[in-house]
Amino acid sequence: QVRLVESGGGLVQAGGSLRLSCAASGIIFSSKDMGWYRQAPGKRREFVAVSTSGGRTNYADSVKGRFTISRDNAKNTVYLQMSSLKPEDTAVYYCNAHSAYVRDYWGQGTQVTVSS
């Protein structure tokens, strides 16, 4: 059974930092592109960052220079270090596991709220 469990969300003031974690089980973690997405109220889910199985990273323009994605294949965990947080970063953040030709897997989400 595949499980992606996010943690680390919470309430933070603008300019603050949070670190999200996503612990995976039931998948060959090292073979997956691991990503973070977010969904704000009334908006579509949007891409935030990805760490590919090949070691590359990519970010949405809105978070470049503020967020850092990393992964620990030994711990089957992907992280999202968020700094200089803004109120517009408020959303539910979801972990995603992707690889070609098979279905994507999603976590249940963790709430991040940034107060002004």
Side-chain angles (χ1 to χ4, degrees):
Q1 182 181 2
V2 177
R3 292 191 69 200
L4 301 178
V5 180
E6 300 99 334
S7 61
L11 173 64
V12 63
Q13 289 188 332
S17 299
L18 280 175
R19 188 196 196 202
L20 305 183
S21 300
C22 172
S25 59
I27 58 173
I28 303 174
F29 185 83
S30 60
S31 72
K32 299 289 188 181
D33 295 344
M34 298 301 299
W36 288 96
Y37 289 72
R38 66 187 182 187
Q39 188 167 17
K43 295 188 176 181
R44 292 184 174 183
R45 190 172 298 190
E46 65 176 5
F47 167 78
V48 175
V50 66
S51 171
T52 73
S53 59
R56 296 179 180 177
T57 58
N58 193 27
Y59 298 90
D61 287 343
S62 59
V63 307
K64 279 182 182 176
R66 300 188 299 122
F67 291 10
T68 302
I69 189 170
S70 61
R71 64 193 292 162
D72 185 335
N73 287 342
K75 295 183 177 180
N76 287 0
T77 301
V78 62
Y79 305 97
L80 186 68
Q81 178 67 48
M82 306 185 293
S83 303
S84 302
L85 283 161
K86 305 175 181 180
E88 51 264 44
D89 294 319
T90 294
V92 177
Y93 283 70
Y94 296 92
C95 178
N96 169 268
H98 171 79
S99 57
Y101 312 116
V102 298
R103 59 160 291 182
D104 279 17
Y105 294 98
W106 295 89
Q108 82 289 347
T110 186
Q111 177 71 47
V112 171
T113 303
V114 184
S115 63
S116 57

